[in-house]
Amino acid sequence: MLIAQVPLNLDQFLQKYPILFKKLCFWARRRGVENPAAQVQEYLTELIIEADEDGDNTLLLKKWFSVLSPQERVELVHRSPITISDYPNGDSWYSFNLGEYSVVTEPVLQEIYYKGQLQGFITRNRYNCEVLNCDRMLIIDVDICSPWNDEIQDCAKSSQIAMTQRQAIAAVKSLTEQFPKLGFRVYRTRNGLRHICTTQPFDPLDPATHRLMQSFYVDPLYARLCKFQSTFRARLTPKPWRVDEDYAERFVYDRVTRLVLPEPSNYAVCYLIDIIGNQKIICEFEPLIQTHDSYCHVSHLSLELA
């Protein structure tokens, strides 16, 4: 394993995996740990940094199995030099509740930087779609009754209120009238809308962020996942069951954006339909917006949404 072949001390490990450490601290805090950073450093030291893969780790694994959340255990399975599956309860280290998954177990395909600072990263999710992840740029998913008209029909299963596209956009306009410094790019997705705030950062763990999301009638499942993963997410490529059998995902280098992007096809993930409020895009969000819009083909209105 990589960790075993190239030993790191704890400081080096934390410097190399800052996002991982932040997310592990979030899950430790969610368990009610008073000092999550200290406990995360403790179990990283015992299970990764100083782990003896050839010794008897039964008591060590038993100690941490009773403490750690499924998200933490799954990440440790992939990084610890200990072959955890060989021990009692080894298979349980991989278990999740229905609907839960861990973003840190998704392969990272691309990292997005601004002036040397990591702003977000693209992962491949469990059903093979590429997903933008960021912990400061607010992304809100809203289910509406019909993306194509203002009739109340075919409301998405996770939506708690039957709402039209016009009503959903009116909620954004109302907020930006109250807070003129806010600005949102509004995209139409297959089953609703995607709002991206471009004018200021937000914290996915802050209750104020979730109150704002609720004022936009956010998809409740998406809101829970933002808290659970400590990140905002936006799917960038079509869902596989929404494309025809001949569709094959291919990527090409785009000289204009300098990104490796999906090859042109008959499908788009979303269209840009409006910019509401302040049109400013703060500098650190510009590469995120460029990546999102280029992947999703937001200006190709003739393509089928998938």
Side-chain angles (χ1 to χ4, degrees):
M1 291 187 180
L2 179 61
I3 297 299
Q5 293 173 349
V6 186
L8 302 174
N9 62 37
L10 181 61
D11 289 340
Q12 292 170 330
F13 186 91
L14 299 181
Q15 289 175 8
K16 188 173 182 178
Y17 303 106
I19 294 177
L20 169 65
F21 180 65
K22 179 179 178 181
K23 293 185 185 303
L24 292 175
C25 288
F26 163 68
W27 284 314
R29 189 183 310 112
R30 200 166 181 259
R31 291 188 281 105
V33 178
E34 185 174 344
N35 189 340
Q39 187 179 90
V40 170
Q41 291 181 52
E42 181 184 357
Y43 70 64
L44 288 176
T45 298
E46 293 187 3
L47 294 173
I48 295 179
I49 306 301
E50 299 178 358
D52 178 8
E53 58 184 310
D54 297 321
D56 184 354
N57 294 286
T58 303
L59 293 179
L60 178 64
L61 295 178
K62 182 178 180 181
K63 165 189 170 180
W64 287 112
F65 180 83
S66 63
V67 171
L68 302 179
S69 65
Q71 295 79 14
E72 293 165 287
R73 295 200 304 266
V74 167
E75 179 55 26
L76 290 168
V77 161
H78 296 282
R79 296 187 181 274
S80 177
I82 301 170
T83 308
I84 295 177
S85 59
D86 290 345
Y87 287 85
N89 295 323
D91 292 341
S92 300
W93 280 72
Y94 296 84
S95 64
F96 282 88
N97 294 325
L98 182 64
E100 294 182 346
Y101 59 93
S102 173
V103 68
V104 292
T105 65
E106 296 177 351
V108 176
L109 308 180
Q110 179 181 341
E111 294 180 336
I112 303 165
Y113 289 86
Y114 175 76
K115 291 187 176 181
Q117 296 295 317
L118 183 65
Q119 301 297 322
F121 52 95
I122 297 173
T123 60
R124 186 173 294 279
N125 72 8
R126 54 187 170 173
Y127 49 86
N128 213 35
C129 289
E130 299 198 9
V131 179
L132 175 65
N133 303 264
C134 45
D135 61 0
R136 299 177 75 248
M137 188 177 76
L138 176 64
I139 303 171
I140 302 175
D141 274 353
V142 178
D143 290 330
I144 60 177
C145 305
S146 172
W148 309 110
N149 53 54
D150 280 330
E151 297 178 6
I152 295 179
Q153 60 183 16
D154 299 329
C155 195
K157 292 180 180 179
S158 59
S159 180
Q160 291 184 328
I161 182 172
M163 182 171 52
T164 66
Q165 178 173 300
R166 183 181 293 119
Q167 290 170 326
I169 292 178
V172 183
K173 290 181 177 178
S174 176
L175 187 78
T176 56
E177 289 171 359
Q178 297 177 58
F179 303 97
K181 291 184 178 181
L182 290 179
F184 293 85
R185 293 170 70 85
V186 179
Y187 302 83
R188 186 170 67 189
T189 62
R190 182 180 174 108
N191 287 326
L193 299 175
R194 175 181 294 171
H195 308 312
I196 298 181
C197 183
T198 62
T199 54
Q200 73 176 64
F202 285 84
D203 182 351
L205 304 182
D206 188 341
T209 299
H210 287 267
R211 288 194 294 270
L212 184 149
M213 295 170 73
Q214 289 168 4
S215 72
F216 284 1
Y217 306 101
V218 64
D219 172 6
L221 175 59
Y222 174 77
R224 288 198 299 273
L225 287 175
C226 286
K227 281 186 176 182
F228 186 77
Q229 301 290 355
S230 185
T231 187
F232 304 112
R233 284 164 65 90
R235 181 171 52 84
L236 301 176
T237 54
K239 291 184 176 180
W241 54 87
R242 291 179 178 170
V243 298
D244 60 45
E245 294 181 357
D246 296 329
Y247 173 83
E249 190 179 72
R250 299 183 179 90
F251 292 86
V252 295
Y253 177 75
D254 185 272
R255 294 183 178 181
V256 177
T257 62
R258 297 181 181 180
L259 297 170
V260 177
L261 300 172
E263 195 174 60
S265 70
N266 296 325
Y267 302 98
V269 172
C270 58
Y271 306 146
L272 178 65
I273 60 172
D274 207 348
I275 300 176
I276 299 175
N278 190 341
Q279 297 192 16
K280 175 184 177 181
I281 301 177
I282 59 176
C283 295
E284 58 264 40
F285 288 174
E286 287 179 354
L288 295 173
I289 294 295
Q290 182 186 54
T291 301
H292 172 273
D293 288 3
S294 298
Y295 263 84
C296 295
H297 303 306
V298 302
S299 61
H300 297 264
L301 303 182
S302 62
L303 301 181
E304 181 180 349
L305 288 175

